[in-house]
Amino acid sequence: MTALPRDVVKWLQSLELSAQATNIRRDFSSGYHVAEIFSRYYPREFQMHTYSKGISLPDKQLNWNKIRQSLQRLCLLLMDKMVYGTIHCKAGAAELLVQHVYTILTKNRIRAVQNPDMDFSDQKYQKLLPWVARPTALTAVNSNVRATEMKALPDLYSNQRRAEAIISKHLEEKAEKLAERGRLIKMRRKQTTSSGDEKYSSGENTPKLYPQSPLDGAVVSYKTITVNQPARRSLHS
C-alpha cells in the first residue's frame, strides 16, 4: 500500500472491501477487488457472486472480461495495457490502475494518472542500482516476462521477439555504461597528468637521483687508525 498516495489508501480503506489489500500487485491481479470497488458505486452492474476469487489465469481472464463488459455499458474505460500489466503482475501496473479507478469514481485528479508511464518494467529500478548489482540478460528476461504471459500467449515467435527486445535493451544500456566509464577514466587521467606537469614545472616534487641524507651539509671529521698485523710464518720454517 505504500506505493499508493495517501488519499487513495484512505479511499480504499473507506470502501471496506472483503479483504484488506496488503500486496497491490498480487491482490488486484485477479480483478476481484477491482470489481468489488466498482460494485460500491454500481451495484447492479457489478454483482460479486458472479466473480471468482481464484488466482489462476483462466479465473483472472474471466473476471477481467466481465469487468470490461460492465464498463462498456457504463461508458467507462480502462486501458488495455494497464489491465494487461495488472493481470501479469507487472511493476507499477496495479498501482497505476488503482489510481486510475480512483480518478474515475471520485473525479479527483492525481498527477501520476495525468501523465501515466506505461512502461511496466523494472528498468527504472535497475538504473538506480550500481552496474555490478544489475541483473544479467537472463535475469532481465525472467523478471520482465511472466509465466502467465507465456500461458496467455503460447506463441513461440511472439515470446521470442519479446525476449529479444529485452536483451537488446539490456545490451544497449550496458554499452552506454561502458562508454561512460571510458570517458570518466580518460578525464581522470587527463586531470592527473595536467596536475603532475604543473607540480614539476613549479619545482614541487622534483625527483632526485639519490635520497637526501640527514648528514647532508654537516661537517664530519675522520680519524686515521693504524692496525699492526702479525707477520705470517712459512709452512717450511
Side-chain angles (χ1 to χ4, degrees):
M1 299 289 287
T2 56
L4 296 175
R6 178 181 295 182
D7 295 339
V8 179
V9 175
K10 290 182 178 180
W11 172 68
L12 287 176
Q13 293 173 350
S14 66
L15 296 177
E16 297 182 354
L17 302 178
S18 58
Q20 184 178 1
T22 57
N23 189 313
I24 299 298
R25 298 182 190 178
R26 180 194 62 200
D27 296 337
F28 282 86
S29 63
S30 67
Y32 183 84
H33 286 308
V34 177
E36 193 174 12
I37 291 173
F38 278 107
S39 69
R40 298 293 188 269
Y41 293 83
Y42 305 100
R44 294 184 178 179
E45 291 292 337
F46 293 88
Q47 299 180 5
M48 295 311 301
H49 67 275
T50 62
Y51 290 88
S52 172
K53 293 185 178 181
I55 59 174
S56 64
L57 182 60
D59 290 336
K60 292 180 180 180
Q61 293 175 335
L62 182 62
N63 286 344
W64 282 105
N65 287 334
K66 291 180 180 179
I67 292 173
R68 287 193 185 96
Q69 294 173 3
S70 298
L71 291 178
Q72 287 177 358
R73 288 192 292 267
L74 295 171
C75 298
L76 300 176
L77 177 65
L78 290 177
M79 298 181 184
D80 291 338
K81 192 172 183 179
M82 197 182 299
V83 173
Y84 178 87
T86 302
I87 293 175
H88 301 294
C89 299
K90 294 285 188 175
E95 293 85 351
L96 189 58
L97 183 135
V98 172
Q99 295 178 55
H100 190 68
V101 172
Y102 169 80
T103 302
I104 292 175
L105 297 177
T106 65
K107 309 302 181 182
N108 295 328
R109 294 291 179 182
I110 301 177
R111 183 177 301 176
V113 177
Q114 292 177 356
N115 297 310
D117 184 5
M118 302 301 289
D119 182 19
F120 301 126
S121 64
D122 61 347
Q123 291 183 1
K124 286 187 176 180
Y125 169 73
Q126 297 299 334
K127 289 182 179 179
L128 298 176
L129 298 176
W131 183 254
V132 294
R134 295 185 185 183
T136 60
L138 179 60
T139 307
V141 173
N142 292 333
S143 300
N144 293 283
V145 179
R146 304 292 182 180
T148 53
E149 291 183 85
M150 302 180 69
K151 291 181 180 179
L153 187 63
D155 183 14
L156 181 61
Y157 179 74
S158 300
N159 293 323
Q160 183 178 357
R161 291 291 299 273
R162 188 184 297 116
E164 289 176 353
I166 295 173
I167 294 174
S168 177
K169 184 66 176 178
H170 175 80
L171 295 178
E172 289 178 3
E173 294 180 355
K174 185 176 182 180
E176 292 177 359
K177 187 66 177 180
L178 292 176
E180 181 181 357
R181 183 179 179 184
R183 288 193 297 269
L184 290 176
I185 292 175
K186 290 182 180 179
M187 186 180 301
R188 289 177 182 176
R189 287 179 179 177
K190 185 180 295 184
Q191 292 176 354
T192 303
T193 304
S194 60
S195 61
D197 293 341
E198 292 177 359
K199 290 181 179 180
Y200 186 80
S201 60
S202 62
E204 299 179 3
N205 298 331
T206 303
K208 296 184 178 181
L209 297 177
Y210 301 99
Q212 185 177 6
S213 172
L215 298 179
D216 288 351
V219 179
V220 181
S221 60
Y222 298 93
K223 184 178 180 181
T224 304
I225 300 176
T226 304
V227 179
N228 296 326
Q229 296 183 357
R232 295 183 180 180
R233 294 183 179 181
S234 177
L235 297 177
H236 300 285
S237 59

